[in-house]
Every structure is written in structure tokens, then in C-alpha cells.
Amino acid sequence: MKIYFGTDHAGFELKEQLVPFVRDELGHEVEDLGAHEYNEEDDYPDLIAPVARKVSESALRQAQGEHDLGIVLGGSGQGEAIVANRFPHVRAVVINDAVGSRKEAGEPNEVALSREHNQANVLSLGARFLNNDEAKKVVKDWLETPAESEPRHLRRLQKIEEVTKHLHSN
């Protein structure tokens, strides 16, 4: 499994911290699709679409089981998730609170649920909301949470795919 990264200028500094963390400390294969330098004038759709395209292609090749994942960053993460979710089989989620990553008994865990129940394959982070340590915690928890194959979750994901097919056929 490969992890693709993409960001605009707003997430550039945080991405520069997360790429070596995911590669060197968590041991994942990483491909950094940019931005490769800080450019205040860049536009997030140009930098997020390549990540979403790679994740989409991986999901199409590997319909069952784990496939490549993406981590995208921007100021809020919202626009980045919107772009990513335009691609087939991409399920991008925004997590901007390390508290959502807490694993306490009986407490819902937003990070884990995004992977377990929704099989999210792109994590979108807002660099204006998370510091380095918080972002690393969210990323670690997200990458370490496997997608579940419980029938009720798979049924719901299939319905999302059916909606998408219907929209693209009209």
C-alpha cells in the first residue's frame, strides 16, 4: 500500500513534516505529488486532483481489500476533500481535530469510524487547525485503522457507488 500526499501552499509546511513521518517512522511507501515548493499563488485543485486520481485508480484495480491511500492538506481541508470526492471510488474525509482521534472506552472515534465504517481512502487535513503533533496523531491513527467488511457497512458503500453511477449516467 502506498500513501500519496498533495497540498497547496497553506498545507506545505505541515506536509513537509508528515511525509518523512509516514515514510520513516510509520514505514509506509510514500509518493509526494506536490507542492514541492511554497508558492502562495498555487491552487489546491491542481495539487489535490493527482492524489485523488491515483487513489481512484488503485481502488478500481483492487475492488476488494486494501488499496493505496491519500493524504491531502490545505488551509481548512474542506476544498481539498471536495476535489478528491469528485473522483470515482474516492471517499475523502476532513479531520481537523486531534480529539477526534482519541481512543477512549465507549467514546466514538471519528478517525477510526471514517476508516472502519466508511472505508475512507483520502484523509484531508486543515493546516490552520492542527499543529504538527496533532496532525501526526490523526495520521497515525487513520493509517493504523483497517477498513471493516461488516455487511451493513459494505451495503451502504455499495449504495454510494450506485448513486455515483446514476449521477454519471445522466
Side-chain angles (χ1 to χ4, degrees):
M1 174 175 56
K2 185 183 283 188
I3 313 300
Y4 296 100
F5 274 87
T7 188
D8 67 357
H9 61 280
F12 180 76
E13 286 184 31
L14 184 55
K15 177 192 67 87
E16 293 297 295
Q17 299 297 312
L18 292 176
V19 166
F21 171 72
V22 170
R23 181 187 60 231
D24 303 336
E25 294 184 42
L26 300 182
H28 292 282
E29 182 181 356
V30 169
E31 187 171 341
D32 182 351
L33 299 176
H36 298 292
E37 61 184 37
Y38 181 85
N39 176 358
E40 193 174 306
E41 299 299 317
D42 62 16
D43 294 321
Y44 65 85
D46 299 331
L47 296 152
I48 303 310
V51 173
R53 185 173 293 108
K54 294 275 191 179
V55 171
S56 176
E57 290 168 356
S58 174
L60 286 169
R61 284 191 310 272
Q62 300 174 11
Q64 298 297 322
E66 290 294 319
H67 57 271
D68 298 338
L69 301 174
I71 298 174
V72 297
L73 301 97
S76 70
Q78 302 296 336
E80 292 74 17
I82 291 169
V83 170
N85 280 321
R86 299 284 189 209
F87 287 78
H89 308 291
V90 169
R91 290 176 300 281
V93 294
V94 179
I95 306 285
N96 278 332
D97 185 352
V99 174
S101 185
R102 276 195 317 221
K103 294 184 180 176
E104 295 183 20
E107 298 267 332
N109 178 327
E110 184 178 32
V111 173
L113 290 177
S114 77
R115 289 283 297 138
E116 292 168 349
H117 293 196
N118 306 117
Q119 294 187 11
N121 51 18
V122 173
L123 175 63
S124 187
L125 302 173
R128 294 183 179 133
F129 297 93
L130 294 164
N131 65 37
N132 288 346
D133 290 338
E134 292 169 335
K136 287 177 180 179
K137 172 88 171 103
V138 169
V139 166
K140 181 180 187 300
D141 289 350
W142 191 76
L143 290 174
E144 290 179 352
T145 302
E148 288 182 357
S149 58
E150 197 173 311
R152 67 187 172 117
H153 302 311
L154 295 177
R155 180 182 71 244
R156 293 167 184 159
L157 293 171
Q158 183 57 42
K159 288 182 178 187
I160 292 170
E161 292 301 319
E162 290 170 13
V163 167
T164 304
K165 285 179 190 173
H166 174 73
L167 292 173
H168 290 290
S169 68
N170 289 332

